[in-house]
Each structure stands twice: as structure tokens, then as C-alpha cells.
Amino acid sequence: MASSSSSSPPPVPQADAFPDGTTDYVPVRKKAYDIRKPHITEMPITWSNWYQHVNWLNTTFIIFIPLAGLVSSYWVPLRFETAVFSVAYYFFAGLGITAGYHRLWAHNSYKATLPLKIFLAAGGSAAVEGSARWWSNLHRSHHRYTDTDKDPYSVRKGLLYSHIGWMVMKQNPRRIGRTDITDLNEDPVVVWQHRNYIKSVITMALIVPTLVCGFGWGDFLGGIVYAGILRIFFIQQATFCVNSLAHWLGDQPFDDRNSPRDHVITALVTLGEGYHNFHHEFPSDFRNAIEWWQYDPTKWFIWTMKQLGLAYNLKTFPQNEIEKGRVQQLQKKLDQKRATLDWGIPLESLPVISWDDFVEQSKNGKAWVAIAGVIHDVGKFIADHPGGKALISSAIGKDATAIFNGGVYNHSHAAHNLLSTMRVGVLRGGCEVEIWKRAQAENKDVAAVTD
Amino acid sequence: MASSSSSSPPPVPQADAFPDGTTDYVPVRKKAYDIRKPHITEMPITWSNWYQHVNWLNTTFIIFIPLAGLVSSYWVPLRFETAVFSVAYYFFAGLGITAGYHRLWAHNSYKATLPLKIFLAAGGSAAVEGSARWWSNLHRSHHRYTDTDKDPYSVRKGLLYSHIGWMVMKQNPRRIGRTDITDLNEDPVVVWQHRNYIKSVITMALIVPTLVCGFGWGDFLGGIVYAGILRIFFIQQATFCVNSLAHWLGDQPFDDRNSPRDHVITALVTLGEGYHNFHHEFPSDFRNAIEWWQYDPTKWFIWTMKQLGLAYNLKTFPQNEIEKGRVQQLQKKLDQKRATLDWGIPLESLPVISWDDFVEQSKNGKAWVAIAGVIHDVGKFIADHPGGKALISSAIGKDATAIFNGGVYNHSHAAHNLLSTMRVGVLRGGCEVEIWKRAQAENKDVAAVTD
Ligand code: HEM
Ligand code: HEM
Ligand SMILES: [Fe+2]
Ligand SMILES: [Fe+2]
Ligand SMILES: [Fe+2]
Ligand SMILES: [Fe+2]
């Protein structure tokens, strides 16, 4: 379990493994919190301490700086080249998060060569969402403890909390579920990025886009405002949607035990991470969308990298298992729907009526018809019968099993269903013919067996 | 069963009722065919007799005249007023068929007052598709014997046959299934239209539109070509689609025993008759589309007539029964889908293995894990395990029932499904704890019950 660190980078500080195979996440740079002092989150928010509850560093990165960018854009004209580059850089940063942080490092859904890893880590830094190590640790915890209190961004605490609140407000590190990140601690790119996180962010998120726009077409200011700050803001909000929108909007074709949902809108916003119900059910699959017509550019990117020899071992869950999940979930919904419908009085709850009684009652004005050993009161239906009044009336006081089932007309499922709502009793001894046969065998008279 | 004919029109010739409540359709005007002579349809089509197989009257009405209209339209300019009127008249004729012939007379799905009946019979005549009596008789036969040889326009004989072939080619009247039309013979509007069919067709299909266009805006020629002939052609082809397209294109949400299907394209073409799977299952419902967002202008028309006091007793099938049909059909499809999937080797077919054997084999290199009394070979899966190699390996040779089901991680349905594909044996005596308890009770030693 201890990091084997066979290569050059100095070993990352690492806690011992717990008996369940997980490790405590060790922040590496920050001072470890003092577990003897009560954590701020254990105290209620009041007028006098609210500012202590806020994580000011995160708030600066995801709210204040973007706001400043938004305001300054009022004075900075947007040039066409800068706009195009900002969008391209947006995709670069986005893929760093989706193809890198998420599908590669958090889920090991494929393997990447060193150049691709560096590319993805650089993109991830440009998105300003923490280091791959920090992000993946929380994300594994999110999968392992989805919707529980140990889930770092549980949607059960509100849509806003799952979107941004969990970063803006301080969190008790003891609350977050523990996971195993030994594999990440052995990945030199992850470790390097984590150790040099601030440097990489400033370089990739601000310096590089500013220099490209500045030296490319002389737009230093546009570079920092649009390709830098505002682009960061948009990619942050977009990827945050995986934690909020994807647990809130859409269908649940594979499992509805927990909150994850599939929706094309979320997919469009998040470079394909919107088929989140599938993803939580099959997290080790490099795809989030399994149909060719669904929007999953991250999947297309990984597939292209494979063609270029930069990615390999793309994992997919067996199709048979995926279909099984779908069938089971459909069955569950169908059973729920079935339970809301009226399927007629169960046979056990009906009175047992003798053949003679049945015939007698029918003569005395009851509109009773026997079909398949069950007596039905068709009185209210005669006028509505699609086959006409005459035919259905002719069956009153008789056993119509055969004529109902094809003798005259082979009734639809709908007709059988409707029939079951008209049940009033069960014939003693089954259908007429069975009663009659038994009487023959016993050599008795049977009254009223005429046709 | 004999027509009671309490009102003025002379009784329509009518055959005696058969024991199953149906009657033979009596053509009224045409000479009855001689049942001793073999019918032409009983002879194979050859080069020398093919023209005898063709129904030339129908062919003239549905192919030659429309063709002539199409050709003459080359010389006749289409005026705007005539175009607008043709479309309006198209809807009038269409509703005559859908709201009149079909939903009112063939299916009795609502009741109409005399003025509405006259309006609908007039529209039906303008569509040139036979009298309401003839049409409804065949249509009832189509419902009662759908897809069989007795179905007058069975799609099983080909899409073209169901669309137009059944009219272009002569049909053996003895083949068509019999139905009960006593109610139609008692309806004075139906009887009058049937007796005066040719007169009504010429008036409504040709004279009226010609006069309207002629006296309205001086376009006699356009009136006859566009509002008359070509309009007839389009409304005929559109309504024929109910017999062809609606049995060929689309979904079967209520029953797939027979061919009827639901499709929005058919609905668009046929004034709402395209939800044909629903319609065959619930023919007495005045609606064909049950969702508000589906296109069923015939339903909207009938509903509006009700608001105006011209229609009443609009019949709908109970929603509970409709939902039951839907649930049953979904269940059927789900069961079919389920049968195509691999659900793992059934427990009965697995070898029974003792606890000691299981432990022994696991020590000798087999990657066996016992969960819920079943032994699984996880060997090929260890490297792919989303929870990491370490955790799954730690369960080899052990009973992992508890840790798999929440002890360490509460696995998804997908994981349970996957597990079932890895079965290799059944533990003798159930889970480890049960074996252990029994051994305790019997006061025997159990080997290898550690951890
Ligand atoms: C006893 C309860 C009955 C119920 C609940 C019932 C219900 C129905 C329903 C819902 C239909 C519409 C078509 C379908 O769903 O298949 C139908 C049609 C029909 N029924 Fe019945 N029926 C009953 C009895 C009978 C009997 C006893 C006869 C004959 C003796 C009969 C003869 C017909 C015929 C011939 C049709 C076809 C109408 C057509 O499509 O033209 N029904 N019935
Ligand atoms: C024996 C056969 C096993 C199979 C087929 C299996 C399958 C899976 C699958 C498919 C997942 C993905 C998430 C999910 O579907 O819930 C998963 C996750 C996980 N499994 Fe297993 N597992 C097995 C055994 C174990 C054992 C014995 C342990 C613990 C001792 C374990 C611990 C975990 C953990 C902690 C995760 C969560 C990973 C994360 O989301 O970060 N698994 N397993
Ligand atoms: Fe999630
Ligand atoms: Fe994930
Ligand atoms: Fe049909
Ligand atoms: Fe119909």
C-alpha cells in the first residue's frame, strides 16, 4: 500500500492505509488541520463568525476574479482573433478536466502516454479547479459516497451547494469520505502538477493566453480579460454543472437509487459529461454517452488520441451488462406504474357462486356473463360494447368463454383487461363444460345446461 | 335483428342475421352476384383475362380521373382563391371520412345530431370513397378480422394492396368477413346517401366546388380541376394511408399481435388517424391521439361540435384500461429483451463446492471470492476493478458478502450483474457464517475459518 516510488520525484506525504484499503488525503502543502481543535464547520453560522465559514481563497478564484473580468470587459474591446482563441482555449481547458482529471485520473478508464498526460495536466491547470490529485480524490469520494453526508458535493444539500457552495464555504475535512489514491501518488505528472500547482495555474490560465494573444495579434489586454479570466469563469461554471445539473435534471435509465441523471443539455454544457446516470453506474467506462448520436466530445477526443497512439487500454463495460441495467430499471418503473393501476378485484376476494345460482340471477335481471370460470356483470357496458348490444346481450346467463376468445370474435387485450374490472364472482367448479362433465361422471342431473 | 324502420325511408334490402349476430352485406343497387358461378378472383391472372380482374369503375375514379386532372392542370393556372378554397374543401371532405364514416358510423364512438350527420355525409361524398354504408361495413370487417384473409385491406398482402390494390382489383365478396350493420340500416342519413350515392358524389365532389369557384371569383375551370379532381385525388390518397401506412410505419405501444402502428407522419397525412395502434385497441374511443400534444384534428373537430351542441355521448375508454394495455405491452417487450441477454449460469447448473475446497483452491492460485453463497472467479476482472486491485484481491479466498454489500462499499446494480457472470460454483451450506454456525451447533471443527 505504501507508495513504491521507484522513479525520481520525492515521495508524496501519505497516510497509512485503513483496513478498508483507503487512505486519508494528505494536503501536502497546507498545514494539516489540528484535529484537537473543533473545526469551524462544527459551529453554527452567526452574524459574528460568518466570514470564518467562507473559504476566501476559493471565493476569490471562482467569484471575485471572474467578476472583475466581467466588469473590465466593459472597457476592453473583444477582437475576433481573441474570441476564436478563447473558445479553442476553453475546449483545451475543458478537456483537461473531462478527459484528464475525470476519466483518466479519477476513474482510470484508459491509459495515457506521457505527452498526453502533460497536455491534459496543462489543460487542467488552465481551468483553475484545483490539482488533479485534489480533484480526483474528492471525485472518487463523490462516487463512493454519492448523495450521503460523506459526498463532498452532495446534491441532497441543494443545487447551489453542489454547484459552488461546497467550494465557497469551508468544509470539514473529517466529513469527506476517504478513498484510495495510491495510484495517483505513483503518477509523476500528477505529483509534479500537485507540487507546482500555483505556478502551473498562473502560467497556463493567465500567462500563456495573454502571451498568445499579445504576440499573436497584439491584444495583450484582450488576452488576459477574455482568453484568461472570462474563459476561466465559463469553463469553471460549465464543469461545475456536472456536480449540480447532472444530479438534478434528466432521466435515470440505469438506476434511480441515487441522484445522477442523463440529459443532453448537461452534456452540451460539459463536453459530454451529461450522461451522468450511465457514468455513475459504469464509472470505469471511458465513454459517458454510449449511443453514436449522443454528444460526447470527450469520448471522441480520447478515441482520437488512441488512433494517434497517445492513449490505450480504453475500457468499456460489457454491453450485455449495460443492457441488463437498463432492463432492470425499466422493470422497476413498470412495476411502479403497474401498482398504481386497478387490475380488478383479485379472484380470492370474490364470492364463489354455483352454476345454478348464476343462471337464476341472470334470469332475474342481472346482466351476468361467465367467462373462464369467472362471473362478470356487463350491465353498465352493454350500451358501449363495440361489437354491438345484441351480441353481448346474447351471452347473458351463459358461459361465453369460447365465443369471447374467438368463437365469435377474438377480443383484444384491452377487452380482456376491461372484462377483469367487471368481476363479481367465481363459478364453483370452473367453466360450464367442466361442471357439466363432472356431473355426467357422477351421473347427476345438471339444471339449465342449455345453449 | 330485422330493421325496425319506424321512419319514412323504405327498408333497405337486408340479409337474415347469422347465428353469430352478423349479416351479409347486401349491395342494394348492384345485381347480386350469382353464387353458383365461380368468381373471377378464383381464377389465376393470365395475359388473356387480366382485364377481367381489374375493377374498372374504381380504377377510373381513383386513377384515370385524377391523372386526367393532373395533366390538365398544366394548362389551367392555379388562382390564389381557388388554392385556398381547395385546401378548405380538402379538410371538409377529409372530416367527412374521418369524423363521419370512420369515427361516427363505423365505430359509433359518439352520437351526432341530424345537421352534423348531413354535413359529414356531404363531406364523405365529396371525398369519393364509396357510401358511408359500404365503407363502414368493410371497415368493421377490417377491425374484426385484422390481418387475416377476411380483412378487406389486409396489409399482409402487401403495402400497395392495402393502399389501393384492394380497390383496383376485383374482390371476392365471399372472402370478406361479415359484420353487423343493422344500426346503419336504421340511420336515415346513411340510407339516403347510400341510395343516392352517384348523385351526391357528382354534386358534392364536382358541381359544388366548381360553382363556388366560378360564381365566387370566376374560376370555373380551376374549380373543376383543382378544387374538384385534384383535391379528390389528394384526399383519397391521404385517407388510403390509414389502411397502408398506419399498418406499416411506427410503434406499437398497446399491442403487437397485429399490424396497426402509431406514427406522427401518418397522423399528419390523415387528419389524426395515425395513432392507429391505439385505435385498433380502443376502437370505440372518439380519440385516436390521447396526448394533448399529438396531432388529431378529427378529435378537435368532434370536441368542438360537442361544444356547439351538435355532437354528444363522446365515448372514451377508461384511462386505467389504456394504461394497463401500455404496461402489458412494455412488459412483453422487456421480457423479449431480457431473453436476449446473458444472466449468468443458473445456480442449479453450477457445481456445489465445500467451504474447505473453496479455501484450498483459492490458496492454489484460483482468484475465487464467495458472495451470498456463490463462488465467483474474479481473476480476469482484478485489473479492471473500479475500486482498485488491492481491495478486490484482499477478498480472494474469503466470504465477501458483507464487504461487497456495504461493509466497504455498497456496490451498484451493475456490479451485482457483473458478479453474476463470474459464477463458478455454489457453496455447500450457504454463506460462511451459516456454515460456521452449523458446525458450532454440531460441535465440529471447521478448517480455515479465520478472519
Ligand atoms: C362479456 C364482456 C365483453 C366485453 C368486455 C367486450 C368488449 C369488447 C371490446 C372492448 C371490443 C372492441 C374491440 C376489441 O377490443 O377487441 C369488442 C368488440 C367486439 N365484441 Fe365484445 N365484449 C364482450 C362480450 C362479447 C360477446 C359475448 C360477443 C359475441 C357474442 C362479442 C363480440 C364482439 C365483436 C364481434 C366485436 C368486434 C366489433 C368490431 O370490431 O367490429 N363481445 N368487445
Ligand atoms: C468480487 C467481485 C467484485 C466486483 C464484480 C466488483 C465490481 C465493482 C464495480 C463494477 C465497481 C464500480 C462502481 C459500482 O458499480 O458500484 C466497483 C467499485 C468499487 N468496489 Fe468493487 N467489485 C468487487 C469486489 C470488491 C471488493 C471485495 C471490494 C472491497 C473489499 C470492493 C470495493 C469497491 C470500491 C471501494 C469501489 C468504489 C470505487 C469508487 O467509486 O471510487 N469491490 N466494484
Ligand atoms: Fe456525479
Ligand atoms: Fe465520475
Ligand atoms: Fe386499421
Ligand atoms: Fe377504425
Side-chain angles (χ1 to χ4, degrees):
Chain A
M1 209 52 77
S3 134
S4 57
S5 63
S6 51
S7 53
S8 44
V12 178
Q14 187 164 341
D16 289 332
F18 286 77
D20 64 358
T22 59
T23 41
D24 241 352
Y25 176 79
V26 180
V28 186
R29 261 168 302 89
K30 270 190 249 154
K31 264 207 328 281
Y33 60 92
D34 183 348
I35 54 161
R36 279 154 310 180
K37 256 171 56 183
H39 193 264
I40 178 72
T41 54
E42 284 161 35
M43 300 192 233
I45 303 183
T46 64
W47 280 111
S48 60
N49 78 358
W50 68 269
Y51 63 92
Q52 294 181 303
H53 277 272
V54 175
N55 183 329
W56 291 106
L57 185 75
N58 285 351
T59 307
T60 307
F61 274 127
I62 64 188
I63 298 188
F64 292 148
I65 297 187
L67 266 186
L70 205 64
V71 171
S72 40
S73 71
Y74 182 79
W75 291 276
V76 182
L78 175 59
R79 287 190 37 190
F80 178 73
E81 297 93 328
T82 308
V84 170
F85 174 73
S86 299
V87 170
Y89 210 68
Y90 171 99
F91 275 91
F92 165 59
L95 287 171
I97 298 296
T98 61
Y101 283 25
H102 188 214
R103 303 198 195 179
L104 176 63
W105 285 304
H107 291 304
N108 279 317
S109 70
Y110 67 100
K111 298 249 178 300
T113 54
L114 189 64
L116 180 56
K117 277 188 187 174
I118 293 172
F119 175 85
L120 292 169
S125 298
V128 198
E129 302 189 12
S131 76
R133 185 169 176 270
W134 174 85
W135 197 100
S136 300
N137 177 56
L138 283 186
H139 191 75
R140 288 183 186 181
S141 178
H142 166 67
H143 272 265
R144 189 157 170 179
Y145 301 105
T146 313
D147 291 347
T148 70
D149 193 48
K150 290 182 170 179
D151 178 349
Y153 21 80
S154 167
V155 77
R156 295 275 147 93
K157 298 188 178 165
L159 194 64
L160 195 66
Y161 176 85
S162 67
H163 189 74
I164 204 165
W166 66 278
M167 286 173 288
V168 169
M169 304 302 288
K170 281 201 189 122
Q171 301 300 321
N172 188 337
R174 267 173 288 178
R175 178 179 67 76
I176 310 298
R178 281 177 285 111
T179 64
D180 179 4
I181 54 165
T182 39
D183 56 328
L184 299 179
N185 289 335
E186 286 163 16
D187 185 321
V189 176
V190 171
V191 171
W192 190 93
Q193 191 223 30
H194 191 75
R195 290 189 175 279
N196 304 280
Y197 185 61
I198 301 291
K199 270 177 262 170
S200 9
V201 164
I202 293 174
T203 311
M204 295 311 303
L206 296 173
I207 298 181
V208 169
T210 309
L211 295 186
V212 170
C213 297
F215 290 116
W217 46 90
D219 191 14
F220 282 99
L221 208 59
I224 196 155
V225 170
Y226 293 104
I229 297 172
L230 281 181
R231 191 262 321 149
I232 297 175
F233 172 67
F234 283 113
I235 195 66
Q236 282 175 344
Q237 296 299 321
T239 43
F240 295 169
C241 283
V242 182
N243 297 333
S244 52
L245 213 55
H247 284 260
W248 187 73
L249 171 77
D251 299 330
Q252 305 193 299
F254 298 100
D255 192 8
D256 62 4
R257 240 177 13 174
N258 293 326
S259 59
R261 283 157 194 278
D262 281 4
H263 203 289
V264 62
I265 290 183
T266 322
L268 287 173
V269 171
T270 59
L271 301 178
E273 304 277 35
Y275 305 98
H276 207 58
N277 192 259
F278 175 85
H279 172 65
H280 267 264
E281 198 68 4
F282 308 103
S284 56
D285 200 306
F286 86 96
R287 309 162 299 173
N288 270 15
I290 49 172
E291 311 291 351
W292 65 265
W293 44 267
Q294 290 172 325
Y295 179 77
D296 188 355
T298 302
K299 173 181 78 177
W300 304 331
F301 171 79
I302 297 170
W303 183 89
T304 310
M305 290 303 111
K306 186 193 167 187
Q307 309 309 312
L308 299 178
L310 293 168
Y312 55 102
N313 274 5
L314 276 51
K315 284 192 210 154
T316 55
F317 221 81
Q319 189 65 23
N320 184 59
E321 303 310 303
I322 295 172
E323 294 303 335
K324 273 155 80 173
R326 220 200 290 264
V327 163
Q328 287 165 328
Q329 178 60 19
L330 279 174
Q331 186 65 62
K332 183 172 172 185
K333 288 201 185 138
L334 211 53
D335 290 343
Q336 284 166 354
K337 176 85 204 173
R338 184 180 285 116
T340 66
L341 299 174
D342 172 11
W343 295 87
I345 304 170
L347 295 181
E348 316 86 75
S349 320
L350 290 172
V352 178
I353 299 172
S354 74
W355 177 259
D356 294 353
D357 259 10
F358 161 66
V359 175
E360 183 69 25
Q361 296 281 1
S362 304
K363 280 190 187 139
N364 296 340
K366 288 255 161 69
W368 282 5
V369 177
I371 293 178
V374 179
I375 300 172
H376 306 87
D377 185 345
V378 302
K380 292 204 193 91
F381 182 66
I382 291 176
D384 291 332
H385 181 231
K389 284 181 217 177
L391 280 177
I392 190 168
S393 304
S394 71
I396 291 176
K398 296 202 187 127
D399 189 321
T401 311
I403 46 178
F404 187 83
N405 287 299
V408 171
Y409 172 67
N410 191 6
H411 283 80
S412 66
H413 291 313
H416 280 92
N417 282 335
L418 195 63
L419 193 66
S420 70
T421 64
M422 302 175 187
R423 292 171 181 165
V424 291
V426 175
L427 266 187
R428 174 164 296 129
C431 293
E432 182 185 357
V433 55
E434 292 158 12
I435 300 170
W436 189 79
K437 276 192 198 154
R438 209 168 304 134
Q440 282 291 70
E442 293 169 12
N443 228 338
K444 275 195 263 161
D445 266 348
V446 189
V449 179
T450 44
D451 186 10
Chain B
M1 210 50 80
S3 132
S4 57
S5 66
S6 52
S7 51
S8 43
V12 178
Q14 186 165 340
D16 287 334
F18 287 76
D20 64 358
T22 59
T23 42
D24 240 354
Y25 177 79
V26 181
V28 186
R29 260 169 301 92
K30 272 188 249 155
K31 266 206 326 278
Y33 60 93
D34 183 348
I35 55 162
R36 280 154 311 182
K37 258 173 51 187
H39 192 263
I40 178 73
T41 54
E42 284 161 34
M43 299 190 236
I45 304 183
T46 64
W47 281 111
S48 61
N49 79 356
W50 67 268
Y51 64 90
Q52 295 182 299
H53 277 271
V54 174
N55 183 329
W56 292 105
L57 185 74
N58 285 349
T59 306
T60 309
F61 274 127
I62 65 186
I63 297 189
F64 293 150
I65 297 189
L67 266 185
L70 204 62
V71 171
S72 42
S73 71
Y74 181 79
W75 293 278
V76 181
L78 174 59
R79 285 188 40 187
F80 179 72
E81 297 93 329
T82 309
V84 170
F85 175 72
S86 300
V87 171
Y89 211 68
Y90 170 99
F91 275 90
F92 165 60
L95 286 171
I97 298 295
T98 61
Y101 282 26
H102 188 215
R103 302 197 196 179
L104 176 63
W105 285 305
H107 291 303
N108 277 319
S109 69
Y110 66 101
K111 297 248 176 304
T113 55
L114 189 64
L116 180 57
K117 278 188 184 172
I118 294 172
F119 175 86
L120 292 169
S125 298
V128 198
E129 302 189 14
S131 75
R133 186 170 174 269
W134 174 86
W135 196 101
S136 299
N137 178 57
L138 284 186
H139 191 76
R140 287 183 187 179
S141 181
H142 165 67
H143 272 266
R144 190 157 169 179
Y145 302 104
T146 312
D147 292 345
T148 70
D149 193 49
K150 292 181 170 178
D151 178 349
Y153 21 81
S154 168
V155 78
R156 295 275 149 93
K157 298 186 178 168
L159 194 64
L160 196 65
Y161 176 86
S162 67
H163 189 75
I164 205 164
W166 66 278
M167 286 173 288
V168 168
M169 304 303 289
K170 283 203 190 120
Q171 301 301 320
N172 188 339
R174 267 172 288 176
R175 178 180 68 76
I176 310 297
R178 282 176 286 110
T179 64
D180 179 3
I181 54 163
T182 39
D183 54 326
L184 299 178
N185 290 334
E186 286 163 15
D187 185 321
V189 176
V190 171
V191 172
W192 189 92
Q193 192 224 30
H194 191 75
R195 291 188 173 280
N196 303 280
Y197 185 63
I198 302 292
K199 271 176 265 170
S200 7
V201 163
I202 293 173
T203 311
M204 295 310 303
L206 295 173
I207 298 181
V208 168
T210 309
L211 294 186
V212 169
C213 297
F215 291 116
W217 44 93
D219 190 14
F220 283 99
L221 208 57
I224 198 155
V225 170
Y226 293 104
I229 298 170
L230 281 180
R231 192 260 321 149
I232 295 175
F233 172 66
F234 283 113
I235 195 67
Q236 281 175 344
Q237 295 300 322
T239 44
F240 294 169
C241 283
V242 182
N243 296 333
S244 53
L245 212 56
H247 283 261
W248 187 73
L249 172 76
D251 300 328
Q252 306 194 296
F254 298 101
D255 193 9
D256 61 6
R257 250 188 348 186
N258 293 325
S259 60
R261 284 158 194 276
D262 281 6
H263 204 289
V264 61
I265 289 183
T266 323
L268 287 172
V269 171
T270 59
L271 299 179
E273 305 276 36
Y275 305 98
H276 207 59
N277 191 260
F278 175 86
H279 172 65
H280 267 263
E281 197 69 4
F282 308 103
S284 56
D285 199 307
F286 85 97
R287 307 162 302 174
N288 271 15
I290 49 171
E291 312 291 351
W292 64 266
W293 43 266
Q294 289 171 324
Y295 179 77
D296 188 354
T298 302
K299 173 180 80 177
W300 305 331
F301 171 79
I302 297 170
W303 183 88
T304 310
M305 290 303 112
K306 186 191 164 187
Q307 308 311 310
L308 300 177
L310 293 167
Y312 54 102
N313 274 5
L314 275 52
K315 283 192 211 155
T316 55
F317 222 81
Q319 189 64 25
N320 185 59
E321 303 310 303
I322 295 172
E323 295 303 335
K324 273 155 80 173
R326 216 199 293 263
V327 162
Q328 287 165 329
Q329 179 59 20
L330 279 174
Q331 186 66 61
K332 184 173 173 185
K333 289 203 184 133
L334 211 53
D335 290 344
Q336 285 166 352
K337 175 86 203 172
R338 184 180 286 115
T340 67
L341 299 174
D342 171 11
W343 295 87
I345 305 170
L347 295 182
E348 315 84 75
S349 320
L350 290 172
V352 178
I353 300 173
S354 74
W355 176 260
D356 294 352
D357 260 10
F358 160 66
V359 175
E360 184 69 26
Q361 296 281 2
S362 303
K363 279 191 188 138
N364 295 341
K366 290 255 161 67
W368 281 4
V369 176
I371 293 177
V374 180
I375 299 171
H376 305 87
D377 185 344
V378 302
K380 292 204 194 92
F381 182 65
I382 292 177
D384 290 333
H385 180 231
K389 284 179 214 177
L391 282 176
I392 190 168
S393 305
S394 72
I396 291 176
K398 299 203 186 126
D399 188 321
T401 312
I403 46 180
F404 187 82
N405 286 298
V408 171
Y409 172 67
N410 192 6
H411 283 80
S412 66
H413 291 315
H416 279 92
N417 283 335
L418 195 63
L419 193 67
S420 70
T421 65
M422 302 176 187
R423 292 171 183 164
V424 291
V426 176
L427 265 188
R428 174 163 296 128
C431 293
E432 182 186 357
V433 54
E434 292 158 11
I435 300 171
W436 190 81
K437 274 192 200 153
R438 209 169 305 133
Q440 280 293 71
E442 293 170 11
N443 229 335
K444 276 197 262 163
D445 266 349
V446 189
V449 178
T450 44
D451 190 358

